[in-house]
Amino acid sequence: MCKQLSGRIINIHHSFLPSFKGAKPYHQAHARGVKLIGATARSRHLVTAGRPGRSLRLEIEGLGGGEWLIPLDSPGAVGSAEHEVAHVALDGVEFCRLAAGHVAPQEAAAGRAGDPEAIRDVLCAAASLSRM
C-alpha cells in the first residue's frame, strides 16, 4: 500500500504531549475523561521516490563505522549531499548504546550540527531499534 501511495500520503499521529506522557497515553486520557484529542502532521516537503531530498549525514566513528546520507522528506527519497541539512557524529560504541536503548537520544554523546528537529528525529529512530 505504501508503495502504491508513495508521495501522496502524510503521516498523521495523535498529539497527547505534554498532557499525557509515557506509556499508554490513550488510557491516561480516557481515565481523565478527555473527550476530544488533536492530531498533528509534520509539515514535510514530500519528494517523489528516487529523487534527492533533504538529508542528514550520519557518521559512525570507529571500527565498522561509516557515513550515510539519510533522506528525511519521504521514504522513497534519495539521500543527497547537496540537500544536507544536518550532521550527526557518534562513536560506534555510543551508537550501539543508543540503538540498544541504554542511553536516551537527547543524552547521546554526539556531535550535532544543523536542523535540531532532523537530528532529534534520526536519534529517536535509532533509539527505537531496541523495540523492534
Side-chain angles (χ1 to χ4, degrees):
M1 178 177 94
C2 288
K3 280 186 178 184
Q4 290 175 330
L5 297 175
S6 180
R8 296 182 290 160
I9 58 177
I10 297 173
N11 181 22
I12 297 175
H13 51 90
H14 64 265
S15 179
F16 284 111
L17 294 174
S19 300
F20 303 104
K21 300 174 186 168
K24 301 185 179 181
Y26 290 107
H27 292 84
Q28 293 177 47
H30 182 268
R32 293 270 299 274
V34 172
K35 302 287 185 215
L36 182 67
I37 63 168
T40 62
R42 284 203 175 134
S43 62
R44 297 271 186 188
H45 176 72
L46 298 178
V47 174
T48 306
R51 303 289 309 238
R54 291 179 324 121
S55 302
L56 176 136
R57 182 177 302 275
L58 175 62
E59 184 178 349
I60 307 297
E61 300 166 345
L63 188 62
E67 254 183 54
W68 296 267
L69 283 168
I70 300 170
L72 302 171
D73 292 325
S74 50
V78 175
S80 165
E82 295 81 36
H83 296 91
E84 185 176 317
V85 296
H87 186 145
V88 174
L90 285 153
D91 174 75
V93 173
E94 187 72 357
F95 179 78
C96 290
R97 292 181 67 226
L98 177 65
H102 296 295
V103 64
Q106 63 273 17
E107 296 170 5
R112 306 164 194 221
D115 182 346
E117 186 175 295
I119 292 168
R120 185 199 67 227
D121 288 351
V122 169
L123 292 176
C124 287
S128 72
L129 293 172
S130 66
R131 294 183 286 281
M132 293 184 102

